Amino acid sequence: MEPDSELATVEVPAGRVLSAAELRAARSRSQKLPQRSHGPKDFLPDGSEAQAERLRLCRQELWQLLAEERVERLGSLVAAEWRPEEGFVELKSPAGKFWQTMGYSEQGRQRLHPEEALYLLECGSIQLFYQDLPLSIQEAYQLLLTEDTLNFLQYQVFSHLKRLGYVVRRFQPSSVVSPYERQLNLDGYAQCLEDGTGKRKRSSSCRSVSKKAKALQNSLPPMSGAASSPPACDQSSQYSEKPQESSPRKGSGLSFQALGSSEPCPALAREDMECGQENDKIKNGAKGAPKPRWNFEQISFPNMASDSRHTLLPAPAPELLPANVIGRGTDAESWCQKLNQRKEKLSRRDRDQQAEVQQFREDVNADPEVQGCSSWREYKELLQRRQLQKSQPRPPHLWGQSVTPLLNPDKADSPAAVLEHVSVLQTTHLADGGYRLLEKSKGLEISFDVYQADAVATFRKNNPGKPYVRMCISGYEMIEQFDEPVPDLCSLKRLTYQSGDVPLIFALVDHGDISFYSFRDFTLPRDLEH
Amino acid sequence: MLVVEVANGRSLVWGAEAVQALRERLGVGGRTVGALPRGPRQNSRLGLPLLLLPEEARLLAEIGAVTLVSAPRPDPRNHGLALASFKRQQEQSFQEQSTLAAEARETRRQELLEKIVEGQAAKKQKLEQDSGADEGQEASGSEATQGSETSDDGQASAEQEGADSSSPPDSSSPQPGPSNGVTPLPRSALLIQLATARPRPVKAKPLDWRVQSKDWPHAGRPAHELRYSIYRDLWERGFFLSAAGKFGGDFLVYPE
């Protein structure tokens, strides 16, 4: 081995440089890849001549393929320059076809990220210069893949995905739209602003319904299904009377959800009827002036409010329902009480009135216990006892000791409620509590946004839309950064929260083998019905 | 003596002959991780560089077959020289390619001389027949001859060589006509090699794999030592080992 003095250096031999004749000859080589194996796969060496021959052929092809160099016409190459201090590659001549999905414009110049430039160099689309010398691929790997730009593992995953055809871009945290923003349709608004056309695309029919509701309130968040918005519209007029919450918008949203969870069957039946009628009405309204088919004088809409109740719902006409759906009539009277779980907040005058009425309802002296009191002090004691009893209706032998019953008898109305109290594990979601972890910046980070391959034709760099998936990369080689390539729960939560509603995929690179895995939320089913 | 550059604990081999020697002579495989020049947009077959496992690199260094060096940084002192030599080499290549292209054109013309003459004669006959019909025919007659020559050239070459790759330089440069002038190759048709490995020799410092450094963080790590001892043992028995990340293990062992 070489002596270890400072001056001793080893000469690294140069790579192959093709002569002009070889360059010209390279144009006529075949563009197709030879098939991988000549014949069926062998599992064990059997020492036969045929096998040895096949092996030799395969090997020869492999060496030939590896030894080929990239030869391109100068006219088809785009010149690019690597700027190390700024960390990007600037294009010197106009970009080609790759500009549709890669690169970005800044100050009137076209630029590429280092990983994109390296990928294009390997494809033979650009010629990369550094200080006026063209870079070989080896030099480009060395110069472009440093710690502060992108590391080798991330480039491996990037090029793997690009070769498969995906559109891969760097992760932009500002592009993450929270579900609330999406609900408010802020993302569509922002996109419109960027587009500059000012035209709002009508993607779902529920928006036309929400426009109708706008007359009642400021704005209605578009619900996920069209079927859900008609009852909300109807209920909104009733709910706005009740002094529930400060913002009526939130009120209708929340109460709709309470509505949805507490009454599945009649709501469905009602919705079916309403949906058919509402949609028809909208359609008719949109068309213009034709007379509606339905005579609304005679059709009575269900009404669960306290005035003019109409809770007897007949079965809907079978021709209005989709196939295999059976509608039936219901009496929704029993649900009326369960409708509003909140206690009514009476106004002060009402409360006073009620109290007065109660006061004068009975005479104090008619109470036998009061008659049994002979002095004012005894009466006071009686009152105190009654007070205690009222505030503590619970038997003291049960509740006074250190071990108390788990539930009140009136609170345990179903086995599910009992289980709730007993359960040790709570259902959580992966992204819960993630916002608290955002300050931690060390550790695993989201590297790329990946868009699907079939979106290439409609992909716009200024407005890429929601990515298909986001990519986090780790590997066994980065031992000095983490102990384990598999992320811990803290990182998982943080990254899932950062990613928003786009699924997150972890890429694990083990010496050239890339495996993709992801974590999913799921909820275990409960054994008992409510 | 093979030289392998190491950077950040990763050993990459950039020469195709080196890869072949490692595989056939020494039984060390490695994994190709780069794009294949012939098909850069597919994942089934990858090309250079070859990534070596740390165990493989260490084994090769221990048996003395390979010298591990730290990846050299570009030296600013040599830059001026390198630039000058690159420009010279580019010009030279351009001249050579022009000459070669001209020669190739000439030889092809000679081969097809008979066909060209035939075609010219046929055209002349046709022109004489229709000469009275259109007066614009005269002006376009010479162009038509040239056009027919190009199409004949292209057709014949396609038939003969079976590859249309030779026509791009011809179509890019203007057709010289029936005379034998040497038109230079246009700059845009110059063929460039995008080198895979560094085209210039460079000096690098050897790496001691016994000592932990930034480029070789594996030295002394118990996990690495364990893996290495197993790798070495199995390699000495004649097996061929490769990484088994796809199957969740450490190594895949093949009988050789």
Side-chain angles (χ1 to χ4, degrees), chain A residues 359 362-388 390:
Chain A
Q359 257 181 358
E362 57 200 36
D363 183 16
V364 174
N365 286 324
D367 198 346
E369 283 191 7
V370 175
Q371 282 173 356
C373 300
S374 54
S375 72
W376 188 246
R377 195 159 39 110
E378 282 178 28
Y379 178 61
K380 278 246 160 179
E381 282 169 13
L382 175 69
L383 281 182
Q384 255 184 2
R385 248 184 296 139
R386 282 214 180 136
Q387 187 74 15
L388 270 177
K390 230 196 317 186

Side-chain angles (χ1 to χ4, degrees), chain A residues 268-514:
Chain A
L268 270 178
R270 238 180 338 113
E271 274 170 30
D272 288 334
M273 245 178 63
E274 273 192 6
C275 204
Q277 293 158 1
E278 273 288 320
N279 282 340
D280 233 36
K281 194 162 145 199
I282 292 162
K283 262 191 290 185
N284 289 331
K287 270 189 231 155
K291 195 166 174 306
R293 192 150 52 101
W294 309 92
N295 184 2
F296 292 107
E297 316 294 314
Q298 286 169 359
I299 299 171
S300 47
F301 284 97
N303 191 3
M304 301 285 264
S306 45
D307 59 307
S308 62
R309 274 224 167 125
H310 176 235
T311 49
L312 196 61
L313 308 169
E319 63 261 18
L320 292 176
L321 297 174
N324 305 330
V325 172
I326 305 168
R328 53 170 193 269
T330 49
D331 185 4
E333 183 70 46
S334 58
W335 292 97
C336 287
Q337 293 145 357
K338 299 191 194 166
L339 199 67
N340 187 9
Q341 301 286 350
R342 275 197 172 224
K343 286 204 174 39
E344 252 184 84
K345 264 195 219 167
L346 301 167
S347 69
R348 194 185 175 80
R349 212 167 49 128
D350 287 340
R351 263 186 281 143
D352 289 345
Q353 259 182 2
Q354 269 193 351
E356 274 178 35
V357 163
Q358 242 182 350
Q359 257 181 358
F360 291 112
R361 209 169 269 173
E362 57 200 36
D363 183 16
V364 174
N365 286 324
D367 198 346
E369 283 191 7
V370 175
Q371 282 173 356
C373 300
S374 54
S375 72
W376 188 246
R377 195 159 39 110
E378 282 178 28
Y379 178 61
K380 278 246 160 179
E381 282 169 13
L382 175 69
L383 281 182
Q384 255 184 2
R385 248 184 296 139
R386 282 214 180 136
Q387 187 74 15
L388 270 177
Q389 261 186 358
K390 230 196 317 186
S391 57
Q392 288 177 13
R394 315 182 281 189
H397 65 272
L398 278 182
W399 294 91
Q401 295 171 22
S402 53
V403 180
T404 58
L406 184 64
L407 295 167
N408 262 331
D410 55 335
K411 292 234 179 80
D413 50 354
S414 71
V418 181
L419 270 187
E420 278 275 340
H421 285 268
V422 183
S423 71
V424 175
L425 300 170
Q426 300 288 329
T427 311
T428 64
H429 292 284
L430 197 52
D432 284 350
Y435 71 95
R436 277 183 272 119
L437 299 168
L438 274 181
E439 310 90 55
K440 292 199 188 169
S441 57
K442 70 160 185 79
L444 209 50
E445 293 294 338
I446 302 181
S447 305
F448 299 120
D449 290 341
V450 181
Y451 301 85
Q452 276 199 298
D454 52 0
V456 165
T458 56
F459 186 76
R460 301 276 167 268
K461 277 189 291 192
N462 294 331
N463 181 17
K466 199 167 98 150
Y468 175 56
V469 108
R470 292 211 162 96
M471 199 63 67
C472 276
I473 297 162
S474 66
Y476 284 103
E477 292 180 23
M478 302 161 70
I479 305 173
E480 65 270 18
Q481 291 197 22
F482 337 107
D483 299 285
E484 290 237 338
V486 179
D488 56 345
L489 187 62
C490 180
S491 315
L492 262 184
K493 275 192 177 280
R494 176 173 56 89
L495 295 169
T496 315
Y497 183 75
Q498 256 187 331
S499 173
D501 52 352
V502 173
L504 198 58
I505 287 191
F506 292 86
L508 184 62
V509 187
D510 174 31
H511 190 257
D513 288 325
I514 306 180

Side-chain angles (χ1 to χ4, degrees), chain A residues 109-356:
Chain A
R109 294 173 181 281
Q110 293 177 323
R111 292 179 180 170
L112 289 174
H113 287 297
E115 68 269 14
E116 297 169 334
L118 198 48
Y119 172 72
L120 287 171
L121 183 65
E122 287 198 304
C123 282
S125 311
I126 68 170
Q127 198 182 11
L128 199 53
F129 287 93
Y130 178 55
Q131 295 172 347
D132 294 328
L133 262 187
L135 291 177
S136 62
I137 309 223
Q138 180 180 10
E139 291 166 322
Y141 263 68
Q142 237 187 309
L143 287 176
L144 268 65
L145 299 181
T146 58
E147 289 92 36
D148 44 345
T149 53
L150 197 79
N151 64 52
F152 189 72
L153 297 178
Q154 287 177 325
Y155 176 68
Q156 270 190 304
V157 176
F158 176 85
S159 54
H160 179 92
L161 291 172
K162 289 292 299 181
R163 277 183 220 123
L164 287 173
Y166 291 102
V167 175
V168 186
R169 310 185 80 216
R170 285 208 176 164
F171 173 56
Q172 275 138 355
S174 56
S175 68
V176 176
V177 181
S178 72
Y180 182 60
E181 282 176 324
R182 221 183 276 281
Q183 212 182 10
L184 291 180
N185 218 25
L186 273 180
D187 58 342
Y189 181 60
Q191 280 174 19
C192 280
L193 282 183
E194 280 175 24
D195 281 349
T197 54
K199 267 195 270 190
R200 298 221 16 200
K201 301 180 215 140
R202 292 181 153 241
S203 57
S204 62
S205 63
C206 57
R207 281 196 221 185
S208 49
V209 179
S210 70
K211 281 203 170 153
K212 181 175 162 249
K214 267 181 198 171
L216 302 168
Q217 297 163 20
N218 285 340
S219 65
L220 191 72
M223 298 298 177
S224 46
S228 47
S229 31
C233 287
D234 270 289
Q235 305 293 328
S236 58
S237 52
Q238 296 144 17
Y239 283 120
S240 56
E241 293 165 30
K242 291 195 182 155
Q244 280 191 1
E245 263 105 358
S246 50
S247 63
R249 173 205 306 165
K250 273 213 150 161
S252 72
L254 278 181
S255 55
F256 161 67
Q257 278 165 17
L259 181 71
S261 57
S262 61
E263 39 169 350
C265 301
L268 270 178
R270 238 180 338 113
E271 274 170 30
D272 288 334
M273 245 178 63
E274 273 192 6
C275 204
Q277 293 158 1
E278 273 288 320
N279 282 340
D280 233 36
K281 194 162 145 199
I282 292 162
K283 262 191 290 185
N284 289 331
K287 270 189 231 155
K291 195 166 174 306
R293 192 150 52 101
W294 309 92
N295 184 2
F296 292 107
E297 316 294 314
Q298 286 169 359
I299 299 171
S300 47
F301 284 97
N303 191 3
M304 301 285 264
S306 45
D307 59 307
S308 62
R309 274 224 167 125
H310 176 235
T311 49
L312 196 61
L313 308 169
E319 63 261 18
L320 292 176
L321 297 174
N324 305 330
V325 172
I326 305 168
R328 53 170 193 269
T330 49
D331 185 4
E333 183 70 46
S334 58
W335 292 97
C336 287
Q337 293 145 357
K338 299 191 194 166
L339 199 67
N340 187 9
Q341 301 286 350
R342 275 197 172 224
K343 286 204 174 39
E344 252 184 84
K345 264 195 219 167
L346 301 167
S347 69
R348 194 185 175 80
R349 212 167 49 128
D350 287 340
R351 263 186 281 143
D352 289 345
Q353 259 182 2
Q354 269 193 351
E356 274 178 35

